[in-house]
C-alpha cells in the first residue's frame, strides 16, 4: 500500500502561505492538507475557496481539502473550481453524503468522508463503494496541536471492510500525528498521514517528512 504524507498548512505561517506551501513541495510532501473551518461545524474559522485558488497558482502538489463546515454541499463546487484535487467532508454535517460525492465525481475530483472520533466506522459503510478515501480524525476537529487519540479499532474495521469489498480506498488519519503515533495508525491500516505541528515545528521539514514516512512504512500492514 502506498504511504502518503499530507502536511496541514493550519500550522504554517498564514502571512506567507505561498512560500510555506512551496517549502513543503521542496521537502518531499505528497499532498497539501487544507483545513477549512466555518465557525459553525467547529468553533474556529480558517480560510475559504479564494485562498485555495490563490495557492493553486503556486504549487503543483495535490490539494487535500478537509471541509469542517456545516453545509459542504453548498460549497463543494467553489472548492472544486478553486483547484481542490480531493474533497473531504464530514458525515456529521447536515448535507446528503451521496450528493456531495456526486458533486465531486461530476468534476473528476476525488471524494472522501471524514469521521469525528465519536462516530463509528459503520456510518460510512453505505457510501464506501463510491469513496476514494475515508478520513479518521484522531483529535476532535477544530484546532491543530492537540493530543492524539488512538483510533486503531475504527481503522481496523474500515480497512477490513475496504479489503472485504475489494476496494482500493485510502485511509487517512488527521490530528496529533507524529513519528510515534503514525506507526500505531499504519499498523491498523492507515496509509495517508496528515501532520501539522509535527512538520511545521520541526527544524527541518524534509527530515520531519522523511521520518514520518519511514515510521509509517515500517509499521504498515
Ligand atoms: C484539526 C485539523 C488538522 C490539524 C492537525 O481539526 O483537521 O488537520 O491541522 O494538526 P496537528 O497535526 O497539529 O494535530
Ligand atoms: Zn484536517
Amino acid at each position: 500500500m502506498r504511504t502518503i504524507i499530507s502536511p496541514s498548512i493550519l500550522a504554517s505561517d498564514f502571512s506567507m502561505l505561498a512560500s510555506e506551501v512551496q517549502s513543503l513541495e521542496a521537502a518531499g510532501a505528497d499532498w497539501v492538507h487544507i483545513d477549512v473551518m466555518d465557525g459553525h461545524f467547529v468553533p474556529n474559522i480558517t480560510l475559504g475557496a479564494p485562498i485555495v485558488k490563490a495557492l493553486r497558482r503556486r504549487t503543483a502538489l495535490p490539494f487535500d481539502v478537509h471541509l469542517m463546515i456545516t453545509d459542504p454541499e453548498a460549497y463543494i463546487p467553489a472548492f472544486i473550481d478553486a483547484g481542490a484535487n480531493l474533497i473531504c467532508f464530514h458525515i456529521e454535517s447536515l448535507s446528503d453524503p451521496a450528493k456531495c460525492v456526486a458533486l465531486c465525481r461530476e468534476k473528476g475530483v476525488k471524494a472522501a468522508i471524514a469521521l469525528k472520533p465519536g462516530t463509528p466506522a459503520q456510518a460510512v459503510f453505505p457510501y464506501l463503494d463510491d469513496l476514494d478515501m475515508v478520513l479518521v480524525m484522531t483529535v476532535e476537529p477544530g484546532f491543530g496541536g492537540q493530543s492524539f487519540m488512538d483510533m486503531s479499532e475504527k481503522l481496523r474495521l474500515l480497512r477490513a471492510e475496504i479489503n472485504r469489498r475489494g476496494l482500493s480506498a485510502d485511509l487517512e488519519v488527521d490530528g496529533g500525528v507524529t513519528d510515534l503515533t503514525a506507526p500505531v495508525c499504519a499498523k491498523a491500516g492507515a496509509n495517508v498521514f496528515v501532520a501539522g505541528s509535527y512538520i511545521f515545528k520541526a527544524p527541518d521539514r524534509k527530515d520531519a517528512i522523511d521520518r514520518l514516512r519511514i515510521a509509517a512504512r515500517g509499521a504498515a500492514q
Side-chain angles (χ1 to χ4, degrees), residues 97-154:
K99 183 85 192 296
C100 290
V101 171
L103 283 171
C104 296
R105 287 272 168 276
E106 275 166 25
K107 298 280 177 94
V109 165
K110 288 185 181 178
I113 290 183
L115 302 174
K116 296 211 280 191
T119 304
Q122 289 80 358
V124 85
F125 284 7
Y127 314 101
L128 205 50
D129 289 359
D130 298 319
L131 296 177
D132 294 288
M133 188 176 83
V134 179
L135 164 53
V136 171
M137 292 300 299
T138 42
V139 296
E140 286 299 337
F143 300 92
Q146 302 183 76
S147 301
F148 174 78
M149 297 163 76
D150 190 343
M151 292 288 135
S152 292
E153 202 182 320
K154 195 190 288 189

Side-chain angles (χ1 to χ4, degrees), residues 8 10 33-37 64 66-68 90 135 137 141 172 174-175 194:
S8 165
L10 188 61
H33 185 82
I34 303 178
D35 288 306
V36 178
M37 306 185 189
D64 163 25
H66 179 192
L67 298 180
M68 286 163 274
H90 274 263
L135 164 53
M137 292 300 299
E172 180 176 64
D174 180 11
V194 175

Side-chain angles (χ1 to χ4, degrees), residues 65-121:
V65 176
H66 179 192
L67 298 180
M68 286 163 274
I69 64 178
T70 300
D71 188 10
E73 197 179 314
Y75 295 94
I76 282 173
F79 284 96
I80 291 173
D81 289 346
N85 300 87
L86 182 154
I87 297 215
C88 185
F89 58 89
H90 274 263
I91 190 94
E92 305 88 356
S93 69
L94 299 177
S95 290
D96 172 0
K99 183 85 192 296
C100 290
V101 171
L103 283 171
C104 296
R105 287 272 168 276
E106 275 166 25
K107 298 280 177 94
V109 165
K110 288 185 181 178
I113 290 183
L115 302 174
K116 296 211 280 191
T119 304

